[in-house]
Amino acid sequence: DSLLNVCMDAKHHKTEPGPEGQLYGQCVLWKDNACCTANTSLEAHQDQSYLYNFNWDHCGAMPEKCKRHFIQDTCLYECSPNLGPWIDQADTSWRKERIRDVPLCQEDCEQWWEDCQDAVTCKVNWHKGWNWTTGTNQCPKGAMCQKFKFVFPTAAALCEQIWSGSYRYTSHHRGSGRCIQMWFDPVQGNPNVAVAQYYA
């Protein structure tokens, strides 16, 4: 039970999940039971959000069809109360806990890669190694900007490496009850509740 319906101890998370009537945009999926506040959900959609001062456009403008996956990834991370089985200790100043090896549904990962393959970045692991001297992330000296499809040759590489192992690529399909969906239809209920129960 301690792994179910919980919020991780991190920078912007509420201490306990609960309803949030005013969640913004793509985060609205979690409004019935969320670990994020309305303000966090709004900031998740900003290009230069105060959440982490992270700039998606560090190698030029990220295409919108790609950016929506990063917004969805942020919404899942900030809002989902169903990541308990994968919460792990974190050794950073800004959070005590992180997620590790969350089993992502194959379609969610493949679509992310598909829509982002022509976006451009200079780093494989976006958690560390940036140049933060300006207050926002810039490419480290000598790092080349290249298309995602060269930096992340497969969907699995993208999902598993970009946030240093937060996600695990699986061959499980959406609706199988064995993988976490970044995207779902809230009218049908949240499928990740059952997935967390299965792994817990």
Side-chain angles (χ1 to χ4, degrees):
D1 274 3
S2 62
L3 299 178
L4 300 175
N5 200 32
V6 290
C7 299
M8 72 188 102
D9 184 357
K11 192 173 181 184
H12 301 290
H13 289 69
K14 302 190 317 197
T15 49
E16 287 180 2
E20 285 289 329
Q22 295 301 312
L23 289 191
Y24 181 80
Q26 291 174 216
C27 294
V28 77
L29 277 56
W30 287 274
K31 72 177 174 50
D32 293 340
N33 195 30
C35 286
C36 61
T37 61
N39 199 34
T40 298
S41 73
L42 179 66
E43 284 293 325
H45 293 71
Q46 309 297 333
D47 278 353
Q48 193 68 57
S49 155
Y50 88 86
L51 293 178
Y52 305 100
N53 290 323
F54 197 89
N55 179 19
W56 306 122
D57 304 328
H58 50 266
C59 279
M62 179 184 279
E64 287 305 317
K65 70 175 182 178
C66 174
K67 193 172 289 178
R68 57 192 272 274
H69 292 278
F70 282 96
I71 293 170
Q72 198 65 12
D73 157 57
T74 304
C75 288
L76 177 72
Y77 171 80
E78 300 290 350
C79 305
S80 175
N82 311 120
L83 300 173
W86 303 281
I87 291 176
D88 201 10
Q89 298 309 116
D91 51 1
T92 46
S93 55
W94 52 278
R95 60 177 181 182
K96 291 196 169 57
E97 292 179 332
R98 58 163 292 188
I99 46 172
R100 203 181 287 276
D101 293 329
V102 172
L104 264 198
C105 295
Q106 185 176 1
E107 295 88 339
D108 290 53
C109 190
E110 295 282 354
Q111 197 61 54
W112 190 356
W113 188 85
E114 191 65 37
D115 288 343
C116 289
Q117 55 177 324
D118 291 324
V120 182
T121 186
C122 55
K123 281 181 58 43
V124 171
N125 183 345
W126 288 15
H127 265 150
K128 34 173 108 91
W130 296 99
N131 169 0
W132 287 96
T133 47
T134 58
T136 181
N137 57 304
Q138 290 180 301
C139 294
K141 199 175 158 79
M144 242 174 62
C145 288
Q146 302 183 74
K147 287 190 173 182
F148 269 47
K149 60 183 163 200
F150 302 119
V151 178
F152 306 106
T154 61
L158 169 65
C159 293
E160 295 183 352
Q161 294 173 348
I162 196 159
W163 299 125
S164 55
S166 294
Y167 295 121
R168 186 165 56 81
Y169 177 87
T170 73
S171 53
H172 295 303
H173 294 290
R174 302 167 61 86
S176 66
R178 298 290 178 267
C179 57
I180 291 289
Q181 293 181 204
M182 263 169 58
W183 305 83
F184 56 86
D185 178 358
V187 177
Q188 311 283 318
N190 179 345
N192 296 333
V193 175
V195 178
Q197 280 169 341
Y198 172 78
Y199 285 98

